[in-house]
Amino acid sequence: MVLQGGLLNRREEPVPLKSISVTLSIREFVAGVSATLNYKNEEEVPLETFFVFPMDDDSAVYSFEAEMDGEKIKAELKEKAKAHSIYESAISNRRQAFLLEEDKYSKDVFCCSVGNLNPGSNVALTLKYVQELPLEADGALRYVLPAVLNPRYRGSGSFEDSCLDMKTPVVPLEDLPYTLSMVATISSQHGIERVQSNCAFSPTKYLGEDKTSAQVSLADGHKFDRDVELLIYYSEVHTPTVAVEMGQPRDNSDGFMKDPSAMVCFYPNIPETQSPVVSGEFFFLMDRSGSMQSPISKQVNSQLRIEAAKETLILLLKSLPMGCYFNIFGFGSSYEAFFPNSVKYTQQTMEEALRRVKLMQANLGGTEILTPLQIIYRQPPVEGHPLQLFVFTDGEVADTFNIINEVKRNRLRHRCFSFGIGEGASTSLIKGIARVAGGTSEFITGKDRMQSKALRALKYALQPAVEDVSVTWKLPAKLSAKMLSPEQTVLYKGQRLIVYALLSGTMPPAEATGEVYLKYTFQGKSFDNRVTFSLQPKPDDNFTIHRLAAKSFLHAKDMGFRDTPANDKKDVLKISIDCGVISSQTAFVAVSKNSNKPVQGPLAYRDIPRPVLLGAASVMPQRCSGGLDKAHAFGHRLKKMCMFLKEPSLQMACCPTQSTILETHCTVFGENHLVQLISLQNADGSWCLDENLAGILGKSLEDLQAAVPVKDASSLSWATVLAVVWLHSNAMQMKGEWELLEKKARDWIHIHAASIMQELVKAAIALIKSSVDPAIFGI
């Protein structure tokens, strides 16, 4: 709510933060970001303000500076307790000071404190960071500027020293009192095909005829209702590369920055396999907290998270191989398991699981994932069936380090594949649990489909293991490589691998080259990928590669302010300060050098509001236990917001317990014929010839029975061929979601109807009036 006095916070006081401006520079697959927070004190007293905001877990924050009244102050990175002491001392002595720190419980939440901001003063705080850009399945590089920080469910335990416990005001999007602007410059030697975004952007402006450089800018009026996402498509992205960056030998005689650093990018050429793994113990851990009743995005007709989750579980269930083991857990404030222990995948167990999936609701309260994880890890392993864990959550959890550490403790017995659902999912949680357990992570926002991303992860899980992975270097005499990235033990077909190293010793002449090898064994055969590169290091004022290397090291060692082991804590602190990259153990602090003009007057405290999406509010446990008036940090704005909750789905997002009054029926998927068809498939891959199948095919059961081309042909064989032809005729745009279960169907046909398959396929194509090539059946 904006009153006549200007922009106000929850106590109807002017809000000092006026705007956020971002300059983004993307070179190949690395992003450099400069974000400036512009403050103005419009009051008559000095202020101290706090602003809590999200950051991507992969961001290496390396610079923080303030510009105020003609004075530029560059912050220093200090041990966290010392930084706080310097800041508090400066505030007590009425000097202007600034503090930037990572939250103690999650790497993807930051807090910026501005102390003793004089009346009438303007200050611009600029933080800079670099990060690797992940590669999507379609070849796009994905950059996300986090703009949404949903309330995080706290559960039990104390979070008094968390940034998220500062009780900063949370306001409806239309009342947010500051703006966001962004300009992005993109460059690639391979050429830029196109740039896409989930937000309104200016048309792509190419800065040269060869299309190796381009610029886009965010349209005015971004509402903080979604993270700002860019998808960048280059003409070629799968080229192995090595970049060598010059160090700082004069300023760091014995530190991390002294030697040149190398960044190696591999695209392992793992062969296709026709015999995927048929063993495994699959656990699917599905978020059923109240916030899962929200839409995946703010876009019109966006699917509810819980409905997308149910469809995804059906696809996963139908795609599992016969003979494996599985179980499904739902979690919220409590948890529910489909079976007491994992069960063998059979027709009976699949049908029971399918029945329970269709009855699932987002009705389990908050988001407490730790207990069901511990229950899963305590279950006895099934011999010969390695554990594969799939975690689906909107990631609204406060203590992410505790969960990541639990997964890490069990990393030797399983792989973890994680999925962040909706805007504002914790990148620290989603990326962290996959990273420590050798899996992959995915985020589902905007028009993304959870179904396709989950099935892609299942394909990775079913790939035969890549073994004996190693990276070796062939360098001139007196030069050696010290690996900084964690030892790589898992590789997946189609994925990129990035490793970092320091090159120490005597650098050879400019024309010298080196070689680096990625070696691995796959199905008994040895492979190696080799890259030859120039050993001439290139200067970079931002030391991008060194800082990305430091971040890679910190990912492996930094397990949070409380939980990092003592030996690792020492290494984390040294690397963090040497490279200037913030960690859980450090913070940036800046104090005005102008000590001749102490701040006058009593200091007032102001919190900067942050936005909240309607559905995200359900993670706040106070709202259902004590009514809206008792929910801290919402006040009258939340009442105003809830006046607009007319739709039942939105009412459930406001109070998840209401969702229990809804009945879920087997027809929950409505007119989605693809999901209906998949729901009918048997565990062994076949279909039954019945009225349900006939209805999806648009025929009567009598017509299907009369069209069987071979006397005494099995009705299962005929139905299965019809279903496969229908998939290829009507759902090719979603092939990634059904190709595993379709392969299971084709394998079944080859086993049970090989002698008559040609006649069945020809008749099915004619009956459905399809143009499908019979070759899909291997004919």
Side-chain angles (χ1 to χ4, degrees):
M1 184 174 181
V2 180
L3 301 182
Q4 292 182 352
L7 301 172
L8 308 179
N9 70 3
R10 75 175 186 271
R11 292 189 293 265
E12 299 189 358
E13 299 148 340
V15 173
L17 180 63
K18 303 303 178 185
S19 65
I20 303 171
S21 57
V22 177
T23 301
L24 169 64
S25 176
I26 295 176
R27 293 185 178 182
E28 305 301 349
F29 51 86
V30 174
V33 184
S34 175
T36 300
L37 311 176
N38 296 295
Y39 292 81
K40 183 176 182 179
N41 182 0
E42 297 176 331
E43 299 191 54
E44 297 179 356
V45 294
L47 299 180
E48 182 177 19
T49 72
F50 304 95
F51 181 44
V52 179
F53 59 95
M55 288 283 289
D56 191 285
D57 176 71
D58 287 329
S59 302
V61 179
Y62 66 88
S63 175
F64 181 54
E65 62 183 31
E67 187 170 355
M68 174 181 54
D69 302 328
E71 180 186 12
K72 183 174 282 190
I73 313 164
K74 188 169 182 60
E76 295 183 74
L77 190 63
K78 300 285 188 181
E79 189 272 329
K80 184 168 277 189
K82 186 174 182 181
H84 274 266
S85 177
I86 293 171
Y87 176 80
E88 295 297 338
S89 176
I91 298 301
S92 299
N93 289 303
R94 297 191 171 276
R95 296 175 65 184
Q96 292 170 324
F98 313 91
L99 183 73
L100 180 71
E101 61 182 322
E102 182 184 283
D103 186 58
K104 289 185 178 181
Y105 297 91
S106 189
K107 290 181 182 179
D108 61 348
V109 177
F110 276 62
C111 180
C112 178
S113 303
V114 178
N116 282 328
L117 184 59
N118 268 319
S121 286
N122 292 282
V123 61
L125 301 180
T126 300
L127 63 94
K128 296 179 180 179
Y129 64 90
V130 291
Q131 71 177 98
E132 301 167 6
L133 298 185
L135 185 66
E136 298 289 289
D138 63 354
L141 291 166
R142 182 175 183 260
Y143 169 76
V144 176
L145 176 69
V148 175
L149 178 57
N150 292 328
R152 301 282 177 90
Y153 184 81
R154 288 160 173 76
S156 57
S158 173
F159 295 90
E160 292 180 359
D161 51 355
S162 168
C163 297
L164 289 167
D165 207 53
M166 287 184 175
K167 298 181 175 59
T168 54
V170 184
V171 300
L173 300 174
E174 67 270 18
D175 288 352
L176 202 66
Y178 46 87
T179 60
L180 173 67
S181 62
M182 186 172 84
V183 176
T185 303
I186 304 157
S187 59
S188 170
Q189 61 179 332
H190 301 295
I192 303 163
E193 286 190 353
R194 64 188 186 277
V195 180
Q196 296 178 348
S197 178
N198 64 331
C199 299
F201 263 77
S202 65
T204 302
K205 178 183 178 182
Y206 289 101
L207 305 181
E209 293 184 2
D210 56 0
K211 293 189 174 183
T212 57
S213 183
Q215 192 173 84
V216 295
S217 57
L218 182 66
D220 293 340
H222 181 72
K223 298 299 184 185
F224 288 84
D225 59 342
R226 67 195 72 177
D227 296 335
V228 180
E229 178 183 280
L230 287 178
L231 295 174
I232 301 105
Y233 293 84
Y234 295 146
S235 300
E236 174 57 59
V237 293
H238 294 94
T239 304
T241 58
V242 179
V244 181
E245 181 179 272
M246 194 176 291
Q248 279 183 309
R250 293 182 181 177
D251 298 335
N252 288 264
S253 58
D254 62 347
F256 188 94
M257 303 289 284
K258 175 175 73 74
D259 294 320
S261 60
M263 179 183 192
V264 186
C265 179
F266 286 112
Y267 294 89
N269 187 24
I270 300 172
E272 290 281 359
T273 176
Q274 297 302 314
S275 54
V277 173
V278 295
S279 62
E281 185 182 20
F282 297 88
F283 279 91
F284 303 109
L285 184 54
M286 182 62 70
D287 193 337
R288 288 177 54 191
S289 61
S291 53
M292 287 290 288
Q293 190 62 38
S294 308
I296 287 178
S297 76
K298 296 283 288 184
Q299 296 182 4
V300 177
N301 297 325
S302 178
Q303 191 173 27
L304 295 182
R305 298 175 187 182
I306 190 64
E307 296 305 325
K310 289 157 75 169
E311 285 189 15
T312 299
L313 285 174
I314 289 175
L315 288 165
L316 289 168
L317 282 170
K318 297 295 182 173
S319 300
L320 290 176
M322 292 294 288
C324 73
Y325 287 74
F326 79 100
N327 203 352
I328 297 174
F329 277 69
F331 70 92
S333 301
S334 58
Y335 72 91
E336 295 178 0
F338 279 21
F339 305 100
N341 294 290
S342 61
V343 294
K344 193 168 185 178
Y345 181 71
T346 65
Q347 182 67 24
Q348 181 180 356
T349 57
M350 185 203 71
E351 287 180 353
E352 173 60 18
L354 191 64
R355 183 187 68 81
R356 298 193 64 171
V357 164
K358 291 179 177 180
L359 295 173
M360 275 176 42
Q361 299 178 53
N363 61 351
L364 292 185
T367 310
E368 294 195 25
I369 189 174
L370 184 60
T371 298
L373 272 176
Q374 293 170 333
I375 296 295
I376 289 171
Y377 292 143
R378 283 202 292 264
Q379 295 196 0
V382 180
E383 187 175 353
H385 293 267
L387 176 61
Q388 311 268 21
L389 176 63
F390 288 68
V391 178
F392 300 85
T393 178
D394 54 20
E396 295 171 0
V397 179
D399 190 358
T400 64
F401 283 123
N402 205 9
I403 298 165
I404 293 168
N405 283 328
E406 181 66 27
V407 175
K408 186 177 181 180
R409 280 190 286 270
N410 292 275
R411 67 190 182 279
L412 296 180
R413 58 171 297 209
H414 83 302
R415 289 189 291 187
C416 179
F417 301 88
S418 57
F419 305 85
I421 305 167
E423 308 291 346
S426 169
T427 58
S428 178
L429 175 67
I430 303 304
K431 293 182 179 182
I433 59 177
R435 184 187 301 119
V436 298
T440 61
S441 59
E442 297 276 7
F443 290 86
I444 299 103
T445 59
K447 295 181 180 179
D448 292 340
R449 284 182 59 80
M450 187 189 310
Q451 297 88 327
S452 59
K453 293 193 172 188
L455 267 293
R456 182 160 66 243
L458 181 59
K459 291 173 197 172
Y460 292 147
L462 293 174
Q463 285 180 9
V466 174
E467 300 173 321
D468 305 323
V469 181
S470 66
V471 176
T472 57
W473 300 76
K474 185 178 180 182
L475 301 171
K478 299 183 180 180
L479 186 67
S480 62
K482 178 185 178 182
M483 292 292 292
L484 297 172
S485 302
E487 181 181 355
Q488 194 70 29
T489 58
V490 179
L491 294 175
Y492 297 107
K493 181 174 178 59
Q495 284 211 314
R496 181 184 64 193
L497 171 65
I498 296 177
V499 295
Y500 296 94
L502 290 179
L503 302 180
S504 58
T506 304
M507 293 300 291
E511 65 274 9
T513 61
E515 293 179 343
V516 58
Y517 297 81
L518 172 66
K519 300 181 179 181
Y520 55 91
T521 302
F522 183 71
Q523 293 188 311
K525 295 182 180 180
S526 297
F527 296 86
D528 69 75
N529 296 173
R530 181 185 66 178
V531 184
T532 302
F533 62 98
S534 169
L535 282 168
Q536 182 65 22
K538 295 182 179 180
D540 180 350
D541 291 341
N542 294 327
F543 294 95
T544 300
I545 294 178
H546 280 82
R547 281 162 173 148
L548 289 174
K551 187 66 177 181
S552 176
F553 177 89
L554 293 173
H555 269 322
K557 297 284 188 177
D558 190 356
M559 289 294 111
F561 184 79
R562 303 163 304 158
D563 299 326
T564 302
N567 290 339
D568 288 343
K569 187 175 292 189
K570 182 179 178 181
D571 292 339
V572 166
L573 189 59
K574 183 179 189 312
I575 295 297
S576 177
I577 291 177
D578 277 356
C579 291
V581 174
I582 202 168
S583 70
S584 69
Q585 309 298 318
T586 53
F588 280 106
V589 63
V591 178
S592 172
K593 302 294 191 292
N594 193 350
S595 58
N596 296 326
K597 295 182 179 180
V599 175
Q600 301 297 319
L603 186 63
Y605 298 91
R606 300 291 180 261
D607 301 321
I608 306 300
R610 67 178 193 262
V612 63
L613 303 183
L614 291 182
S618 63
V619 299
M620 302 288 287
Q622 299 91 338
R623 300 185 61 190
C624 289
S625 60
L628 296 180
D629 291 330
K630 295 182 180 180
H632 77 271
F634 277 76
H636 69 277
R637 297 179 187 276
L638 184 58
K639 295 180 184 177
K640 172 184 173 181
M641 187 168 71
C642 287
M643 288 173 62
F644 296 97
L645 302 182
K646 304 296 187 184
E647 296 297 325
S649 61
L650 294 179
Q651 291 170 5
M652 283 184 287
C654 183
C655 188
T657 57
Q658 293 184 24
S659 63
T660 58
I661 66 172
L662 293 185
E663 294 183 2
T664 307
H665 190 263
C666 290
T667 58
V668 67
F669 302 111
E671 296 302 315
N672 189 334
H673 287 170
L674 174 61
V675 178
Q676 290 177 0
L677 178 71
I678 291 170
S679 297
L680 297 175
Q681 189 185 32
N682 297 318
D684 61 7
S686 66
W687 270 268
C688 295
L689 193 64
D690 58 20
E691 294 281 2
N692 293 319
L693 178 63
I696 293 169
L697 299 179
K699 308 287 183 182
S700 69
L701 180 57
E702 292 75 16
D703 287 343
L704 296 185
Q705 292 169 334
V708 179
V710 180
K711 187 180 180 181
D712 298 328
S714 160
S715 63
L716 286 174
S717 301
W718 175 229
T720 305
V721 170
L722 286 168
V724 172
V725 171
W726 188 95
L727 285 171
H728 282 270
S729 302
N730 296 277
M732 281 302 292
Q733 71 276 18
M734 296 182 180
K735 184 179 178 182
E737 300 179 16
W738 51 255
E739 60 183 333
L740 282 177
L741 62 89
E742 183 265 357
K743 184 182 184 305
K744 192 159 67 166
R746 285 189 286 110
D747 289 344
W748 185 93
I749 294 168
H750 278 273
I751 293 171
H752 295 90
S755 62
I756 58 172
M757 180 168 54
Q758 190 164 352
E759 291 90 335
L760 293 176
V761 170
K762 183 178 178 181
I765 291 173
L767 181 66
I768 296 178
K769 296 186 170 93
S770 169
S771 58
V772 168
D773 187 347
I776 63 170
F777 289 88
I779 297 175

